[in-house]
Amino acid sequence: MNDPILDIRDLKMHFPVKGGVFSRQVAAVKAVDGVSLTIGRGETLGLVGESGCGKSTLGKSIVRLLNPTAGSVVFEGQPITHLSQSQLRPIRRNMQMVFQDPAESLNSRLSVGQIISEPLEVQGVGTKATRREMVEELLDRVGMPKSAAQRFSFEFSGGQRQRIGIARALALNPDLIVLDEPVSALDVSVQSQVLNLLLDLQEELNLAYLFIAHDLAVVKHISDRVAVMYLGKIVELADADTIYQNPKHAYTKALISAIPEPDPTAPKHRAHLEGEIPSPIHPPAGSAFGHRINHPLYESTIGMDLSLVEIEKDHWVAADPCCLSEADYAQAMSLQECELRS
Amino acid sequence: MSENVLEVKELITAFRMDDGEWLRAVDGVSFRVPKGKTVGIVGESGCGKSVTAMSIVRLLPKPMGHILGGEVIFKGQDLRAASLERMHEVRGGEIGVIFQEPMTALNPVHRIGKQISEPLILHRGLSKGDALKESIDLLDKVGIPSPERRIMDYPHQLSGGMRQRVVIAIALACKPDLLIADEPTTALDVTVQSQILELMEDLQNEMGMSTILITHDLGVIAGHCDEVVVMYAGRVVERAPVKELYASPQHAYTKGLLNAIPTLSTPRKSKLNTIEGQVAAIKDFVPGCRFCQRMERTGETLEKRAPWIEISKDHWVEACPVCVELKSESTD
């Protein structure tokens, strides 16, 4: 990508598990375990996976709400992984976050106006009077009446609260917004309103989004590219149309076939995924998904390099014999060899 | 017409507020559940779908919740008039209930085995030992591996999907005639959701029971129901066989709902159709058409409730003259 706004390299976020008499670290939850991604200016990258796969943790470690264990995050050309909180402050202007549950992410003791102007105050933008004007503009932008500024967030419905959360994220005119399940708490009719708003804002302001969600139809709708995450790792990454029309990884295929389509005449496919996502404390040694589906080749993947290869142009998939068709795997192997030789 | 296991007629359920005002969360709801069929109830949060379910088994929060009117005819008997003893027999015995959140539906301080045995001992009079044996069979049936060890587990030792399987096992323990599943898969991942829904369908076919599936997900309804009841603001606005409803929705709200969801075939980044506005607060509900109220229309449709008419076989709609185009052959 020519001008990535965000470049993540081999990011790891491990949480210590303490135990024993002296609370020593006895294990680690490998929530994010070696993820590399880029996001271009004005681009939406969708991130999907089951609960517990580490997608929210990844979002939080990008905006440094968590301090990653290893790896690097380069935002607008500047490495930010090791910056202190005060060094981060000017950078945070350009990178904001919207959370899943607007009821919990908005302070119920502050008026809506105070909530939206708080980031402006923290960053020392404008005077009290100009900030009030900016709040009104922001409310207008997200389709809320100006009078909302004097009211409290709990007076509003879920969809309106999420609009307030979006207005707060927009306040500092960011270039990147991390959206962590922004519509999953909303009803369908309101969900489409918020999705339309996000698309409009992106077009107007050339925003880049990292859109984290578990609803694959929603992700497909809003994303340019989609990354599929399984147990702390990206297993497939491609253009949104490609990944849905021509998924290569068995896990992606399973996720797509599990989407309930709102069409009663659609044929029912019973290719179902058994089992559940394993614990990230003791992840399987080899192919994590191969382990879940009890693949006969699982044993052979222990110790193998299962990193992503570019199997087609801009279509990356984990070189995993358990999860790819034979032809795809053969191709992935030859690509991996080429890469090693060069 | 086939026999109905359940018939709900003009049900009105209200909650009394501190100031003595009654809020009608369910305001004249009618539908039926034919024997062996699955009826889906769909609607947005706050439309009264869960309160309807709770009213059927009379599990409304006390002392605020009351059924003010209507009938709940279950196997020929009006449950509203039934004695408490009879209700004890019905709940967990003849009607099984699955709640949305599998963590809160299970008791955290009792072992799984004990919780599944309870309805078996209570309703079927089994001994403790027999009940435990039966529990193992049930866990096996709902697809829990090594059930003989799992019965000794506490709920927190299981994952979300496994917990929901346990809740299903409890609901099905006494082979109920009717299963009420209130958002059974909302808290679960898509992959686990499809496992659970298939499981419910298989067990239903095996045991010949009827199901009420409450959900906000039109995709789930399409794949797993025979009939659909669309609720809006405490009322049923439309009711039809599933294929009919998706092929020719009549009420403006149903149409809006179906158009608003992005599917895999929706062009990427295209504008989604939305339903403008939002549901009014319960205390502000008008007596007439509440969807007109959302659309900020004025006039007499707000004043008087529209008649409930059958426009084709088994396809009923609340015929608000603004929201429903009657007698138009060409529907979009």
Side-chain angles (χ1 to χ4, degrees):
Chain A
M1 194 163 300
N2 26 21
D3 179 25
I5 185 169
L6 185 77
D7 191 350
I8 312 164
R9 289 268 161 254
D10 207 23
L11 194 71
K12 288 183 183 167
M13 183 68 231
H14 295 180
F15 297 99
V17 177
K18 291 186 174 159
V21 186
F22 301 108
S23 299
R24 274 176 309 192
Q25 182 175 341
V26 291
V29 178
K30 296 175 178 168
V32 176
D33 199 22
V35 167
S36 303
L37 286 172
T38 54
I39 301 179
R41 262 177 209 283
E43 188 198 33
T44 305
L45 177 69
L47 183 62
V48 294
E50 291 170 278
S51 43
C53 74
K55 52 191 196 303
S56 290
T57 308
L58 177 61
K60 285 183 188 155
S61 29
I62 290 170
V63 298
R64 285 283 308 274
L65 285 176
L66 292 168
N67 293 323
T69 318
S72 75
V73 178
V74 177
F75 179 67
E76 297 190 318
Q78 189 180 5
I80 58 165
T81 342
H82 299 290
L83 297 184
S84 68
Q85 288 299 327
S86 57
Q87 286 170 314
L88 266 177
R89 188 157 293 158
I91 291 164
R92 285 236 163 92
R93 270 181 177 224
N94 294 328
M95 149 156 105
Q96 291 288 316
M97 186 149 181
V98 173
F99 299 89
Q100 173 170 7
D101 188 348
E104 282 179 38
S105 59
L106 302 175
N107 189 337
S108 55
R109 287 164 186 259
L110 297 182
S111 71
V112 169
Q114 284 171 308
I115 289 174
I116 298 174
S117 66
E118 197 174 11
L120 298 167
E121 276 166 52
V122 171
Q123 296 279 352
V125 177
T127 62
K128 223 174 181 180
T130 57
R131 279 201 292 265
R132 189 172 305 145
E133 265 171 46
M134 289 165 92
V135 166
E136 285 180 357
E137 244 172 67
L138 284 162
L139 282 170
D140 189 49
R141 174 150 258 167
V142 297
M144 299 273 293
K146 284 174 185 163
S147 59
Q150 276 81 49
R151 292 163 67 188
F152 289 94
S153 64
F154 54 78
E155 295 177 58
F156 295 96
S157 68
Q160 288 174 312
R161 281 189 210 150
Q162 200 56 294
R163 286 170 192 267
I164 297 168
I166 293 169
R168 174 175 65 182
L170 287 176
L172 291 162
N173 228 336
D175 298 319
L176 170 73
I177 302 183
V178 174
L179 301 148
D180 189 3
E181 304 258 12
V183 295
S184 48
L186 307 177
D187 276 313
V188 262
S189 71
V190 181
Q191 173 180 304
S192 55
Q193 293 173 6
V194 173
L195 288 174
N196 281 347
L197 171 68
L198 289 171
L199 287 170
D200 285 344
L201 292 170
Q202 179 166 48
E203 211 177 291
E204 270 171 56
L205 307 169
N206 196 30
L207 294 167
Y209 292 143
L210 175 64
F211 191 93
I212 302 171
H214 66 271
D215 185 329
L216 288 105
V218 168
V219 168
K220 181 191 175 216
H221 187 75
I222 198 162
S223 305
D224 296 298
R225 288 185 304 143
V226 174
V228 179
M229 198 166 174
Y230 187 73
L231 207 65
K233 292 193 165 77
I234 303 294
V235 294
E236 189 161 6
L237 170 68
D239 170 80
D241 286 325
T242 312
I243 211 163
Y244 288 89
Q245 278 154 19
N246 185 21
K248 298 278 186 197
H249 198 280
Y251 180 61
T252 315
K253 288 179 187 169
L255 276 183
I256 292 171
S257 79
I259 309 174
E261 275 283 281
D263 176 8
T265 57
K268 273 196 198 172
H269 25 227
R270 283 199 166 226
H272 284 298
L273 190 52
E274 292 302 314
E276 282 160 44
I277 200 160
S279 153
I281 302 182
H282 303 290
S287 158
F289 190 67
H291 184 262
R292 170 160 170 185
I293 55 176
N294 262 325
H295 199 278
L297 290 177
Y298 169 71
E299 294 294 330
S300 70
T301 60
I302 296 174
M304 212 186 231
D305 176 16
L306 301 175
S307 55
L308 295 177
V309 290
E310 192 171 11
I311 196 160
E312 279 162 17
K313 192 178 179 307
D314 296 327
H315 189 161
W316 297 76
V317 67
D320 183 338
C322 303
C323 305
L324 295 180
S325 69
E326 266 175 47
D328 286 340
Y329 182 63
Q331 200 191 341
M333 287 319 286
S334 63
L335 287 166
Q336 219 170 30
E337 269 169 43
C338 287
E339 214 173 286
L340 281 178
R341 252 181 261 142
S342 61
Chain B
M1 205 174 95
S2 63
E3 197 190 332
N4 293 331
V5 172
L6 180 82
E7 256 181 277
V8 175
K9 291 181 187 164
E10 281 301 306
L11 179 74
I12 300 172
T13 303
F15 293 88
R16 187 161 59 191
M17 296 294 105
D18 292 338
D19 56 8
E21 195 186 359
W22 288 93
L23 296 184
R24 290 185 174 193
V26 171
D27 193 12
V29 162
S30 306
F31 66 97
R32 50 104 204 243
V33 184
K35 197 163 191 293
K37 300 283 185 202
T38 300
V39 173
I41 303 184
V42 68
E44 296 178 271
S45 32
C47 72
K49 48 193 198 301
S50 291
V51 176
T52 303
M54 293 300 104
S55 306
I56 294 169
V57 285
R58 284 175 41 197
L59 282 177
L60 294 165
K62 295 280 164 196
M64 308 88 80
H66 287 275
I67 301 176
L68 297 187
E71 288 169 79
V72 179
I73 315 263
F74 174 64
K75 296 200 292 185
Q77 186 193 12
D78 186 0
L79 290 184
R80 272 193 73 198
S83 66
L84 269 183
E85 288 74 25
R86 171 72 188 132
M87 283 314 290
H88 282 309
E89 274 170 36
V90 168
R91 296 182 199 133
E94 291 157 52
I95 300 181
V97 187
I98 300 172
F99 297 96
Q100 175 171 354
E101 192 29 78
M103 196 59 221
T104 46
L106 293 172
N107 190 331
V109 301
H110 291 303
R111 295 180 196 277
I112 302 296
K114 186 176 173 190
Q115 299 192 49
I116 307 176
S117 304
E118 200 177 297
L120 293 168
I121 296 168
L122 214 64
H123 295 291
R124 284 175 43 196
L126 296 187
S127 71
K128 247 187 179 173
D130 287 346
L132 215 53
K133 263 189 222 135
E134 176 103 28
S135 306
I136 296 174
D137 286 348
L138 279 162
L139 283 181
D140 191 42
K141 214 178 227 172
V142 296
I144 290 187
S146 51
E148 57 293 332
R149 267 186 297 151
R150 284 300 187 185
I151 52 163
M152 298 308 282
D153 280 355
Y154 288 96
H156 73 263
Q157 290 169 288
L158 304 176
S159 68
M162 286 294 161
R163 278 183 216 140
Q164 197 59 297
R165 285 168 197 266
V166 172
V167 176
I168 292 176
I170 296 173
L172 299 181
C174 295
K175 300 198 167 53
D177 300 298
L178 175 68
L179 175 70
I180 301 177
D182 187 1
E183 305 259 9
T185 57
T186 304
L188 307 175
D189 280 312
V190 270
T191 52
V192 182
Q193 163 168 294
S194 68
Q195 293 168 15
I196 298 276
L197 290 171
E198 299 261 291
L199 168 71
M200 282 173 51
E201 211 167 286
D202 289 347
L203 294 172
Q204 179 180 13
N205 292 336
E206 204 181 306
M207 297 160 64
M209 64 181 176
S210 318
T211 306
I212 298 177
L213 179 63
I214 299 175
T215 175
H216 64 273
D217 188 332
L218 287 154
V220 168
I221 296 267
H224 299 273
C225 296
D226 301 301
E227 269 189 36
V228 192
V229 173
V230 182
M231 283 188 71
Y232 183 77
R235 295 249 178 87
V236 177
V237 291
E238 189 161 3
R239 192 183 94 198
V242 65
K243 282 185 185 153
E244 164 107 8
L245 188 94
Y246 283 74
S248 69
Q250 295 298 314
H251 197 281
Y253 177 65
T254 317
K255 288 180 188 170
L257 213 52
L258 286 168
N259 281 331
I261 19 173
T263 66
L264 292 184
S265 47
T266 316
R268 198 140 57 82
K269 296 210 168 185
S270 60
K271 261 276 170 13
L272 291 170
N273 292 305
T274 60
I275 305 177
E276 290 310 310
Q278 52 220 324
V279 194
I282 297 184
K283 63 176 168 40
D284 301 326
F285 281 173
V286 293
C289 177
R290 286 154 189 184
F291 194 65
C292 284
Q293 183 180 18
R294 172 165 180 168
M295 293 292 119
E296 295 178 359
R297 294 183 187 124
T298 49
E300 59 181 16
T301 55
L302 294 181
E303 305 303 322
K304 211 172 133 258
R305 188 170 169 191
W308 182 238
I309 59 167
E310 188 173 19
I311 52 160
S312 59
K313 191 176 178 300
D314 290 336
H315 188 164
W316 294 77
V317 66
E318 189 174 271
C320 164
V322 185
C323 296
V324 180
E325 288 173 46
L326 281 177
K327 293 197 184 82
S328 69
E329 289 302 307
S330 56
T331 46
D332 49 341

